[in-house]
Amino acid sequence: MAITKTEAAGAQEWTARPNCSLTPTARRNLVCGILAASLLVSGGFLLAGAWLVLPFAGLELAALYIALRALDRADSSSETIRLEGDRLTVTTRFLGDARQYSFSTAWARVSLEAGDAPDPLICIRSHGRSCQVGRLMTPPQRQQFYSDLSRRLRS
Amino acid sequence: MNTATHTLDPHAGHAHHPTGVLRWLTTTNHKDIGTMYLTFSLLMFFLGGAMILAVRAELFQPGLQLMKPEFFNQLIGVHALVMIFAALMPAATGFANWMIPLMIGAPDMALPRLNNWGFWLLPPAALLLTMPFILAIFGIGDGAVATGWTLYAPLSVQGGIGVDFAIFSIHILGISSIMGSINIIATLLNMRAPGMTLMKMPLFCWGWLVTAVLLIITLPVLAGGVTMLLTDRHFGTHFFNAAGGGDPILFQHLFWFFGHPEVYILLLPVWGLMPHVLSTFTRKPIYGHTAQVYGFIAIGVLGLIVWAHHFMTAGLPVPALLYFMYSTMAISLPLAVLFFCWIATMWRGAMSFETPMLFAIGFIVLFGIAGLTGLVLADVAADAQYHHSYFVVAHFHYALFAGGIMGVMTGVYYWLPKWTGHMYSEKLGKLHFWLTVISFNFTFMPQFFLGLAGMPRRIPDYALQFTEFNAISTVGAFVLGLSQLLFAWNIWRCVKGGDKATDKVWEGSNGLEWELSSPPPYHSWDTQPVIKSTP
């Protein structure tokens, strides 16, 4: 998991993303390479009369594609927390589902609460609305971010 | 006002996992799944071993003493299928599950749920493979698959229900392998720690990456081949029936297009492991990391285009024979690069001879014999003499027992203290090594001579002239089989307790996996490591 922190005049922004060592281009090349090799082999056997190899190759490539798509969706997840003026804005993207929450810095309360993750998540709440962040952070990163955000909200 | 409702302990969630049976059924943790793969593999190793000891007992002297020829054929076929698909492959997958996330700094495998399914397909597949033995006791069917692991048509088209069970078992094992391969490719390519470029990736991971790609390319061919066999048996097709316009040799092409790369699928993870072990116990960096990576890739590519050397006596045209002979011999070049790098890693190193190092050296020497005898078999003229003889049996056991299983034993002894947090007994380990190496050679070296003298494989009875070598081989096999109980006992003792292992375990160990505690925490890598150094 990677957290990037940017600071501009009067604004701080933290963005957490899953670690991803495969670039989209490399992923495309990988799929194309395996597809080409697999089609070459199954095409050769098709010409030799063993046409049943082709559907199995197709099924397998479909499974590979679905797995990589699932990874792609997971890799595009992010959590962005922006602190600017008197607004605290949280934008989360998980598996294509984007949500945004906005809180007043004067009223926002930050706490660590047990969620569906194995370790406590950071909960931000105000006026009956709440959101959880930290799913894309490791526990030490979450601890660091929690301290950082609490300190800035207090100041 | 900000309030903290929990005291934040970075390790607080680590014990949060189901316990008891549910833990093992539902786990998505890479270490749990790795442990299950390795345990399953060990059980199947003993099952496959017991089958072949019965075969060797029958072969102790000429004549039929213990079993009917049909049962003999079933034991041989199922022994091979169990050892290859249910013992060796799951062992390598167990290593991958346990070690790849630790080695690349990832918290788990990329697709943990798929990982769980991949494992739980194995027990039903093994059951399918062996169930016909039990059904035959109750008078259902005529026993397990009796065609040898190659399932050659038209014999397999005419075989009993054991063939059908084997076909379905192979399909399930194939699905499991595909799930594992997709997961390993996704993990290795997508979840490496920041700074770990592909060329900095550990060689064990490289070995597995090439293996996974080979599996993805070749498994559909096997799946297609056995499905065609099934339709020939039950649905009136004639893919492999010459009388119906089919071609039995086509099955051999289909089978060996998978079957030959399968050898590298079994061996590449072990070849990837060896440099780590040699480097650790020589206290030197791995020699030729990049050369070995290209060696793995070259072997993978060449391994895909040499399949027909397994049936050069089946009547292939001369140009094809020449092509397959030369291309097969070409594999010795990248393999020689690997051997050179392994020996160069040891050269002038401060060597010590703990059990993993003994097994690694034993592997190099004995696998070298497999390589050299493989060159002899690749020669199309010589192969006409040796094909289907005990020379081939001896050759592939030097490749798959000395190369594969002894490689797995190297890995188990090397990583067991890391997995369990305890040191195994060195005394028992060394005794296990010497008994294994000596009895292995007593078992299989005579089989080279039997093959050279003309004894065919897959026969329960033989001419009197082969008696002495067969007797020696059988005694060797029993010592070899019983020696493996020491291995299981040593593992059991280590799991239950023993001297505490340090995090680094070995003085010369080097790599991310040794940075974690022994045993590693349930969730690895809370803090993602960053790689800066060269491999």
Side-chain angles (χ1 to χ4, degrees):
Chain A
M1 289 97 183
I3 293 192
T4 51
K5 185 177 169 186
T6 50
E7 291 201 48
Q12 290 96 37
E13 187 174 287
W14 296 263
T15 303
R17 293 180 195 282
N19 173 50
C20 173
S21 50
L22 186 68
T23 62
T25 312
R27 183 173 304 169
R28 199 168 46 245
N29 292 343
L30 169 77
V31 173
C32 289
I34 292 180
L35 181 76
S38 204
L39 285 180
L40 185 70
V41 169
S42 48
F45 280 109
L46 177 73
L47 293 176
W51 58 268
L52 261 169
V53 174
L54 193 60
F56 281 104
L59 278 174
E60 190 190 76
L61 289 170
L64 179 68
Y65 177 76
I66 291 166
L68 290 174
R69 279 289 299 166
L71 273 186
D72 199 24
R73 278 157 59 85
D75 290 343
S76 61
S77 300
S78 66
E79 289 177 324
T80 305
I81 300 99
R82 185 174 174 82
L83 197 57
E84 185 173 18
D86 63 348
R87 301 311 298 171
L88 173 65
T89 312
V90 177
T91 310
T92 60
R93 284 175 208 280
F94 288 106
L95 305 176
D97 178 27
R99 293 181 188 200
Q100 194 170 60
Y101 307 85
S102 184
F103 303 95
S104 160
T105 52
W107 293 97
R109 290 159 57 97
V110 184
S111 59
L112 284 163
E113 292 183 7
D116 51 5
D119 296 287
L121 293 172
I122 298 160
C123 184
I124 304 170
R125 61 161 56 91
S126 169
H127 293 87
R129 288 182 305 114
S130 67
C131 73
Q132 286 185 321
V133 292
R135 281 188 179 79
L136 299 177
M137 302 173 197
T138 61
Q141 285 173 336
R142 214 174 290 152
Q143 167 91 78
Q144 176 64 41
F145 172 70
Y146 170 72
S147 310
D148 216 359
L149 184 63
S150 303
R151 197 179 63 251
R152 285 178 191 270
L153 284 175
R154 274 198 300 269
S155 62
Chain B
M1 186 176 72
N2 306 306
T3 53
T5 54
H6 281 72
T7 306
L8 189 67
D9 171 3
H11 297 283
H14 283 185
H16 280 216
H17 54 79
T19 51
V21 177
L22 203 61
R23 168 179 174 180
W24 300 104
L25 283 175
T26 61
T27 184
T28 53
N29 183 284
H30 71 99
K31 300 182 204 77
D32 282 354
I33 295 173
T35 303
M36 292 197 296
Y37 266 110
L38 290 166
T39 309
F40 177 81
S41 160
L42 189 64
L43 292 174
M44 290 297 117
F45 174 57
F46 279 106
L47 179 69
M51 288 176 187
I52 210 60
L53 286 186
V55 165
R56 281 308 328 167
E58 174 58 54
L59 291 170
F60 182 65
Q61 54 183 353
L64 295 176
Q65 285 88 30
L66 301 174
M67 60 188 79
K68 291 179 179 172
E70 302 81 36
F71 188 62
F72 179 94
N73 288 341
Q74 291 167 25
L75 284 179
I76 285 194
V78 179
H79 157 76
L81 287 166
V82 164
M83 285 302 201
I84 290 168
F85 289 105
L88 255 177
M89 280 179 78
T93 315
F95 282 172
N97 267 288
W98 246 105
M99 299 312 298
I100 283 177
L102 303 188
M103 285 179 142
I104 64 170
D108 206 309
M109 298 296 277
L111 304 155
R113 183 65 62 193
L114 195 71
N115 211 10
N116 176 289
W117 296 341
F119 171 77
W120 281 111
L121 284 174
L122 287 181
L127 194 65
L128 274 179
L129 203 54
T130 48
M131 196 190 286
F133 282 124
I134 298 156
L135 291 178
I137 295 170
F138 296 103
I140 303 167
D142 49 2
V145 58
T147 60
W149 83 292
T150 51
L151 301 170
Y152 274 0
L155 180 63
S156 51
V157 177
Q158 299 154 4
I161 61 164
V163 177
D164 299 319
F165 276 81
I167 288 172
F168 285 112
S169 175
I170 286 170
H171 269 303
I172 296 174
L173 290 163
I175 294 169
S176 168
S177 294
I178 288 296
M179 286 179 168
S181 301
I182 289 174
N183 211 351
I184 286 167
I185 290 175
T187 306
L188 286 174
L189 294 182
N190 206 40
M191 295 185 70
R192 281 171 284 122
M196 183 180 278
T197 58
L198 275 176
M199 291 313 287
K200 284 184 186 174
M201 198 163 71
L203 283 169
F204 173 74
C205 300
W206 260 109
W208 245 113
L209 183 60
V210 177
T211 297
V213 172
L214 282 180
L215 273 167
I216 286 196
I217 292 173
T218 59
L219 268 171
V221 180
L222 178 71
V226 295
T227 307
M228 289 156 71
L229 188 58
L230 192 73
T231 60
D232 267 13
R233 284 170 59 79
H234 298 293
F235 301 106
T237 58
H238 298 283
F239 287 113
F240 309 124
N241 181 358
D247 180 9
I249 303 296
L250 177 61
F251 184 82
Q252 300 191 23
H253 282 286
L254 288 163
F255 181 84
W256 286 112
F257 188 84
F258 160 81
H260 189 74
E262 172 69 9
V263 177
Y264 303 115
I265 286 163
L266 297 170
L267 294 177
L268 273 162
V270 170
W271 294 344
L273 154 72
M274 282 304 145
H276 297 285
V277 177
L278 295 172
S279 160
T280 295
F281 296 103
T282 51
R283 294 155 182 83
K284 275 177 64 189
I286 291 171
Y287 182 89
H289 182 280
T290 308
Q292 290 187 69
V293 169
Y294 286 117
F296 293 162
I297 296 170
I299 289 169
V301 172
L302 287 170
L304 285 170
I305 56 169
V306 299
W307 70 93
H309 66 236
H310 288 273
F311 50 98
M312 289 201 287
T313 54
L316 299 177
V318 171
L321 290 176
L322 289 174
Y323 162 73
F324 283 111
M325 176 173 75
Y326 290 128
S327 57
T328 303
M329 288 178 170
I331 295 185
S332 61
L333 298 174
L335 199 53
V337 170
L338 297 188
F339 271 87
F340 178 80
C341 290
W342 297 337
I343 293 166
T345 300
M346 289 191 284
W347 185 254
R348 291 185 172 170
M351 285 204 278
S352 57
F353 298 96
E354 287 85 346
T355 307
M357 183 62 166
L358 287 178
F359 269 99
I361 293 172
F363 160 88
I364 292 173
V365 173
L366 298 177
F367 183 67
I369 294 174
L372 293 173
T373 51
L375 270 177
V376 175
L377 287 169
D379 184 302
V380 67
D383 185 65
Q385 167 71 23
Y386 301 139
H387 184 78
H388 207 74
S389 76
Y390 256 83
F391 190 90
V392 180
V393 179
H395 157 73
F396 69 68
H397 279 93
Y398 270 82
L400 294 184
F401 189 98
I405 290 176
M406 279 180 58
V408 168
M409 287 169 180
T410 308
V412 170
Y413 281 115
Y414 184 54
W415 284 320
L416 195 59
K418 170 56 65 182
W419 298 337
T420 62
H422 303 123
M423 295 305 292
Y424 59 85
S425 160
E426 265 301 331
K427 199 172 157 187
L428 274 180
K430 285 179 177 162
L431 181 63
H432 172 226
F433 167 75
W434 286 112
L435 281 172
T436 298
V437 164
I438 293 168
S439 58
F440 169 81
N441 282 295
F442 266 95
T443 307
F444 293 107
M445 191 62 82
Q447 295 182 8
F448 279 124
F449 302 124
L450 285 169
L452 288 171
M455 179 170 162
R457 55 191 290 209
R458 292 175 175 149
I459 52 164
D461 189 10
Y462 49 81
L464 285 176
Q465 73 200 69
F466 304 128
T467 306
E468 287 77 13
F469 278 136
N470 268 298
I472 294 168
S473 184
T474 297
V475 171
F478 272 85
V479 177
L480 181 61
L482 293 173
S483 308
Q484 304 320 309
L485 296 175
L486 285 176
F487 180 51
W489 172 239
N490 209 356
I491 293 172
W492 178 252
R493 275 174 46 131
C494 185
V495 170
K496 299 303 282 181
D499 295 341
K500 183 86 186 79
T502 60
D503 293 353
K504 205 166 178 243
V505 181
W506 311 109
E507 185 195 359
S509 53
N510 193 12
L512 279 182
E513 67 274 29
W514 307 105
E515 303 290 321
L516 290 167
S517 60
S518 299
Y522 193 68
H523 297 291
S524 322
W525 299 118
D526 270 349
T527 307
Q528 189 146 51
V530 177
I531 314 300
K532 289 176 180 156
S533 62
T534 52

